[in-house]
């Protein structure tokens, strides 16, 4: 059971990694631009970050679904079928 939880946590980390990395780097870049230009507009931080996250989500959707399917078929379903 601990092994299954470890596999599920690792899968969650690897699946969410690209999206979290893009959110972090786009937030840092936008914050740097805001600090350099002294523009403190709220939509300037929200909209570009949201667009970057959506683009990365669409680009990595196959990778994320493959990771979840592998976890389901490799670890969860055999435990359910085995009792």
């Amino acid at each position: 059971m601990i092994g299954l939880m470890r596999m599920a946590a690792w899968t969650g980390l690897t699946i969410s990694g690209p999206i979290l990395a893009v959110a972090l780097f786009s937030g840092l870049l936008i914050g740097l631009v805001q600090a350099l230009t002294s523009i403190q507009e709220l939509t300037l931080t929200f909209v570009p970050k949201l667009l970057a996250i959506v683009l990365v989500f669409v680009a990595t959707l196959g990778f994320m679904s493959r990771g979840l399917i592998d976890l389901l078929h490799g670890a969860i379903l055999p435990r359910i079928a085995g009792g």
Side-chain angles (χ1 to χ4, degrees):
M1 187 57 125
I2 300 291
L4 178 62
M5 290 171 50
R6 186 180 313 136
M7 288 174 57
W10 182 251
T11 301
L13 286 173
T14 57
I15 285 174
S16 64
I19 292 175
L20 292 175
V22 165
L24 173 72
F25 290 125
S26 65
L28 286 173
L29 183 67
I30 292 168
L32 180 66
V33 168
Q34 279 187 325
L36 291 175
T37 59
S38 297
I39 298 174
Q40 298 298 323
E41 180 65 31
L42 184 61
T43 57
L44 184 63
T45 60
F46 182 71
V47 174
K49 190 188 296 186
L50 181 65
L51 289 176
I53 289 172
V54 167
L55 287 175
V56 170
F57 177 75
V58 169
T60 60
L61 193 57
F63 164 73
M64 291 187 294
S65 62
R66 175 56 43 203
L68 288 174
I69 290 170
D70 289 344
L71 177 68
L72 179 69
H73 285 275
I76 297 174
L77 285 181
R79 290 185 189 249
I80 293 173

